[in-house]
Amino acid sequence: MTSRLRVVIGVVLLGALSLPGCTAADDDVAAYVDRAVAELRDGIHADTAEFQDAVTAAEGELKARETISDAHAGLGELVVAAGGIHSFFLTPAEAIAARSVDQPGATFPVPSVSTFEGISTVSLPSFNGQSAEAEERYRSAGLTAMKRAADATTCGWIVDLRTNGGGNAWPMLAVAAPLLDDGDVVGLRSREGETAWARVEHGGVVSTPGGVGTSTPAGFTIDAPVALLTSTTTASAAEIVAIAFAGQADTVRVGAPTAGLTTGNEIRELSDGAWLVLTTSYDVDRTGRVYDGSLEPDVLAPPGSVPSDLERARDELRARCS
């Protein structure tokens, strides 16, 4: 059997909650492959002839492998066929490593804020955690730093996503939420056209497609221009944050085009602890636009440009608050 956890994850791997499931000993190779292929049928490309052809070509050979681990590489190819370039396979050992951020005492980068001439920059790093403790540490660090900087911030905010390669989107969105207008700000749209929304009210995240435990307290809001700094490294969960600002007034995106992993993934844990990280949805913004590719900046400022991308972002805010 398999277990499911609905998350948004990107190039940077998430830790996952410990999920129940049968052991690998309960599966022979053929049964293991059957169960994996059944999960892959939820991928965004699994209704295509190309995916079915890939299954037909590989299924018999994979079932004939001597051990379950011998089938891993072939399933890694099929998960990409089912979900596209945002999908991937993790062996049991790799899945255990991905959970390391959720271990007690684990260290990881948290959001920080710096202020220069009335403009504050919120640096949102990648975040891989799924435990309540790790998520709270990430959220609290960012929101506490923003509250401390609020009085000195007289000319807008920069949300710096340049080095954020993805992870768990919902704690990142919680840090950005005080800067967001109320409403359904970003969603995940299934292959069938159903959308699950992340909703912000009064600076808090009311709900997300991540389910229970992803909401955050309201009451801290910021009404100011926002510049989003992006790069070619900005990916997946970081792109979710950027898309949440799409269609909001007094917002500008500065930098380079993003990585283009504007889709949502789910972890499907197999009986031996391996993960199918499967793309099952497309990102959608508050206007209803569906994404499947890079986010283009409003102001192009590639690495090494003069003025720098950071200074261009400050210039955009100065023009809006003068």
Side-chain angles (χ1 to χ4, degrees):
M1 65 184 294
T2 58
S3 297
R4 302 183 181 191
L5 179 64
R6 183 167 188 167
V7 293
V8 176
I9 68 179
V11 177
V12 178
L13 306 182
L14 281 180
L17 299 174
S18 178
L19 300 176
C22 60
T23 65
D26 297 324
D27 269 347
D28 61 23
V29 177
Y32 181 89
V33 170
D34 279 339
R35 287 166 176 157
V37 170
E39 293 294 331
L40 294 180
R41 295 195 185 283
D42 290 335
I44 57 173
H45 301 308
D47 59 349
T48 65
E50 289 79 7
F51 172 69
Q52 189 52 55
D53 289 346
V55 171
T56 300
E59 195 171 20
E61 181 184 353
L62 292 179
K63 289 181 178 180
R65 299 289 171 86
E66 290 188 9
T67 67
I68 284 173
S69 61
D70 291 338
H72 285 166
L75 291 175
E77 295 176 0
L78 286 182
V79 73
V80 175
I85 60 171
H86 200 180
S87 300
F88 52 95
F89 182 93
L90 294 185
T91 66
E94 290 168 337
I96 290 171
R99 291 184 173 101
S100 63
V101 70
D102 289 323
Q103 298 305 309
T107 60
F108 50 83
V110 295
S112 61
V113 177
S114 61
T115 304
F116 177 75
E117 295 182 349
I119 296 173
S120 284
T121 300
V122 184
S123 296
L124 279 186
S126 301
F127 174 67
N128 306 334
Q130 280 288 313
S131 72
E133 188 274 337
E135 289 184 348
E136 176 56 25
R137 269 202 284 159
Y138 186 95
R139 282 194 303 260
S140 179
L143 292 171
T144 298
M146 290 174 70
K147 288 175 182 178
R148 288 173 178 166
D151 287 345
T153 308
T154 57
C155 192
W157 293 75
I158 297 170
V159 179
D160 189 352
L161 300 167
R162 289 174 296 177
T163 63
N164 190 325
N168 184 345
W170 313 128
M172 298 177 198
L173 188 67
V175 176
L179 297 165
L180 285 161
D181 293 343
D182 287 357
D184 292 335
V185 295
V186 64
L188 297 178
R189 183 164 297 181
S190 71
R191 193 176 69 200
E192 293 75 27
E194 298 178 355
T195 302
W197 289 98
R199 184 169 184 82
V200 169
E201 291 183 4
H202 306 298
V205 179
V206 177
S207 60
T208 78
V212 177
T214 59
S215 61
T216 57
F220 171 51
T221 61
I222 299 169
D223 183 12
V226 176
L228 299 161
L229 266 179
T230 65
S231 74
T232 55
T233 302
T234 304
S236 187
E239 290 171 297
I240 281 273
V241 174
I243 288 170
F245 285 90
Q248 178 167 308
D250 258 351
T251 300
V252 62
R253 201 158 53 224
V254 179
T258 63
L261 301 180
T262 49
T263 47
N265 286 352
E266 295 182 15
I267 294 172
R268 304 294 175 85
E269 185 174 46
L270 300 177
S271 59
D272 63 341
W275 288 358
L276 299 168
V277 184
L278 179 65
T279 304
T280 59
S281 56
Y282 297 95
D283 298 348
V284 57
D285 68 25
R286 71 183 72 209
T287 73
R289 177 183 173 183
V290 179
Y291 293 78
D292 185 19
S294 297
L295 306 179
E296 296 294 328
D298 301 307
V299 178
L300 182 63
S305 59
V306 179
S308 69
D309 49 3
L310 178 59
E311 191 56 35
R312 291 291 293 274
R314 289 175 177 152
D315 287 343
E316 289 294 324
L317 292 179
R318 291 184 186 112
R320 285 164 167 78
C321 73
S322 57

